[in-house]
């Protein structure tokens, strides 16, 4: 079974049809830059461009980097503030000529994909997936069940949003070495561990493709830390899963 997934990020919007039997992209993904400013209309046009690149006509799942309830955007820390209060599912469906659209938090989508097909498969207890990119997204699971919209990237760390110190963007903006960035990430993981005592950390986002650069530098965390197996495709896969589940209902 194939369903289309789109992952909206702070710097790029990417999507592809997903083979949900295998939990893999059925075709090479298509990616376009996120418009700046990332307004609802601008982003909707880019989502349509990604979907239309495959001439896709079926249902579509879409992730968004913020709190999403019932398809409505509640927060937009790394997107244009015009998103807040927008019914994204309705907006994107209209832009896609009435195709059914399901919208969910981006890290929740990545987490569901990793729990089903990847590094969290079969893991009991509490699992925390953290996506490291423009910000820090989070997905928290207890015995495989998602606690949605946790947004742990906005925990306070040294008087600041954690994502402003430990995201990949923070590394790039500050021109931090892997060692300095890993130290910041370690402090953040220790804070999350103190609050939630997870049995496993899964680190996702594009940086999960090169875990050898930073994971060996992180010490003092009790829980095992592993890279996301689906790497930066996890959000696309999770978005497709959400659209499939909505169709099933």
């Amino acid at each position: 079974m194939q369903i289309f997934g789109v992952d909206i990020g702070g710097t790029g919007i990417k999507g592809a049809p997903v083979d949900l039997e295998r939990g893999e992209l059925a075709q090479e993904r298509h990616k376009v830059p996120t418009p700046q400013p990332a307004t609802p209309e601008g982003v909707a046009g880019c989502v349509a461009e990604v979907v239309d690149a495959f001439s896709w006509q079926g249902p579509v799942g879409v992730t968004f980097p913020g709190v999403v309830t019932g398809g409505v955007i509640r927060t937009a820390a790394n997107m244009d503030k015009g998103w807040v209060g927008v019914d994204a599912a309705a907006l994107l469906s209209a832009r896609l000529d009435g195709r059914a659209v399901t919208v969910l938090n981006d890290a929740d989508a990545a987490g569901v994909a990793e729990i089903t097909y990847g590094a969290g498969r079969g893991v009991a207890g509490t699992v925390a997936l953290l996506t490291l990119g423009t910000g820090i997204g989070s997905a928290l699971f207890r015995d495989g069940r998602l606690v949605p919209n946790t947004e742990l990237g906005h925990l306070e760390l040294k008087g600041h949003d954690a994502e402003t110190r430990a995201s990949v963007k923070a590394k790039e903006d500050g021109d931090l070495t892997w060692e300095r960035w890993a130290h910041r990430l370690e402090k953040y993981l220790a804070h999350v561990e103190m609050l939630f005592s997870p049995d496993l950390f899964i680190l996702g986002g594009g940086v999960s493709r090169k875990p050898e650069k930073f994971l060996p530098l992180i010490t003092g965390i009790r829980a095992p830390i592993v890279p996301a197996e689906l790497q930066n495709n996890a959000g696309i896969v999770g978005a497709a899963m959400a659209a499939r589940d909505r169709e099933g209902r």
Side-chain angles (χ1 to χ4, degrees), residues 3-7 16 18-20 23-25 60-63 102-117 141 146 230-246:
I3 297 285
F4 204 95
V6 178
D7 191 14
V18 177
D19 181 337
L20 289 174
E24 300 175 356
L25 303 192
V60 177
V62 180
T63 77
T102 304
V103 182
L104 72 162
N105 173 267
D106 58 346
D108 286 351
V112 168
E114 284 293 326
I115 285 287
T116 305
Y117 302 107
F141 296 83
L146 173 68
L230 279 66
Q231 298 180 349
N232 214 19
N233 290 333
I236 296 174
V237 174
M241 292 173 68
R244 175 200 60 192
D245 292 346
R246 175 184 170 181

Side-chain angles (χ1 to χ4, degrees), residues 105-190:
N105 173 267
D106 58 346
D108 286 351
V112 168
E114 284 293 326
I115 285 287
T116 305
Y117 302 107
R121 184 174 47 199
V123 178
T126 302
V127 175
L129 174 130
L130 303 169
T131 57
L132 307 171
T134 304
I136 297 177
S138 63
L140 193 65
F141 296 83
R142 179 65 186 174
D143 292 333
R145 295 179 64 87
L146 173 68
V147 180
N149 291 310
T150 48
E151 292 289 275
L152 301 182
H154 299 296
L155 290 172
E156 184 178 313
L157 192 63
K158 291 188 177 294
H160 302 278
D161 258 17
E163 69 177 22
T164 67
R165 293 188 54 80
S167 65
V168 172
K169 184 176 187 297
K171 178 185 183 302
E172 294 171 349
D173 288 351
D175 196 24
L176 302 178
T177 63
W178 285 105
E179 288 79 9
R180 287 190 64 194
W181 181 66
H183 178 69
R184 290 189 181 188
L185 184 57
E186 178 184 298
K187 295 295 185 187
Y188 171 62
L189 292 174

Side-chain angles (χ1 to χ4, degrees), residues 30-68:
H30 182 71
K31 183 175 181 178
V32 299
T34 302
Q36 301 300 330
T39 62
E41 286 299 329
V43 170
C46 289
V47 170
E49 180 181 344
V50 170
V51 175
D52 290 344
F54 296 85
S55 300
W56 183 263
Q57 296 301 317
V60 177
V62 180
T63 77
F64 185 85
V67 172
V68 184

